Every structure is written in C-alpha cells, then in structure tokens.
Amino acid sequence: MTDVTFILRDGSRRTLDIPEGSSVMQAAVMENLKGIDGECGGCLSCATCHVYIEAIGAGELPPIDEEENALLDGVAAERRPESRLSCQILATPGLSGLVLRVPERQM
Ligand code: FES
C-alpha cells in the first residue's frame, strides 16, 4: 500500500492507502475525494484529475510524457511546474509520503 496525502481546497488533509498499481486518481474517485473528478476514467482526455505535487516520498514520479504534457496545457486551474495528472501516477511502495494539492477547480 502507498500512503498519499491530499491537501483539499479547504486546507484540510486526507491520506489514502492506495493499493500498488492503482492510479492516484482511481483511489481518490473511489473515496469520493472532493476536487478530483477523473471524468475520462484515466484515458488522458479530460484533465479533471489535475493535482499539484507538494512533496515527493522516497521514490520518483514517472516522467511526464507528451500526451500528459499536452493535456496539462488545458487544465482549468493554473498550470504550474508542479502540475501533474493524477491518473498517470501509479501507486508504488516508493511513493509513500507523496503529498498532492487539489487545485481550486477542475472545469
Ligand atoms: S482522469 Fe482524465 S486525464 Fe486523468
């Protein structure tokens, strides 16, 4: 399991235990975490799973590929250097301790 903490829009924090191999977006949607919509189910067509990386655990995030990069240009909230699409982040034990901030809007 991978512990991932989300900083929600109201400033509160919620930590999820995510099974290895699941995407961070899938876990957030299953837990009804407010602010992560994941409308396309993770097929890289909606950008409603946008997050800001606040802190990385011991592991490394996968690099941003061309498709994710292109979609990040269309996110509803401001794109920042720490922007990622949470459907592209799969839980691995090394990512425990990852902290993500939910943007102010997804649409
Ligand atoms: S869930 Fe649609 S792009 Fe991530």
Side-chain angles (χ1 to χ4, degrees), residues 7-106:
I7 303 172
L8 306 180
R9 292 175 181 151
D10 64 3
S12 64
R13 289 174 176 247
R14 183 138 174 236
T15 300
L16 303 182
D17 259 353
I18 304 178
E20 192 172 346
S22 290
S23 80
V24 169
M25 175 281 290
Q26 284 173 319
V29 168
M30 283 184 65
E31 291 292 325
N32 290 318
L33 195 132
K34 266 194 157 176
I36 303 293
D37 298 339
E39 296 221 333
C40 75
C43 66
L44 272 180
S45 63
C46 73
T48 62
C49 61
H50 179 207
V51 291
Y52 299 119
I53 308 295
E54 285 278 316
I56 299 175
E60 285 184 22
L61 290 172
I64 298 176
D65 66 16
E66 271 182 47
E67 268 185 292
E68 181 180 359
N69 189 43
L71 210 54
L72 280 167
D73 282 338
V75 292
E78 176 191 9
R79 179 178 181 174
R80 300 178 190 163
E82 65 271 26
S83 287
R84 291 298 305 258
L85 296 178
S86 59
C87 68
Q88 299 304 298
I89 302 173
L90 301 184
T92 61
L95 280 183
S96 261
L98 182 66
V99 181
L100 307 171
R101 181 176 294 277
V102 174
E104 66 271 14
R105 64 182 190 279
Q106 295 286 10

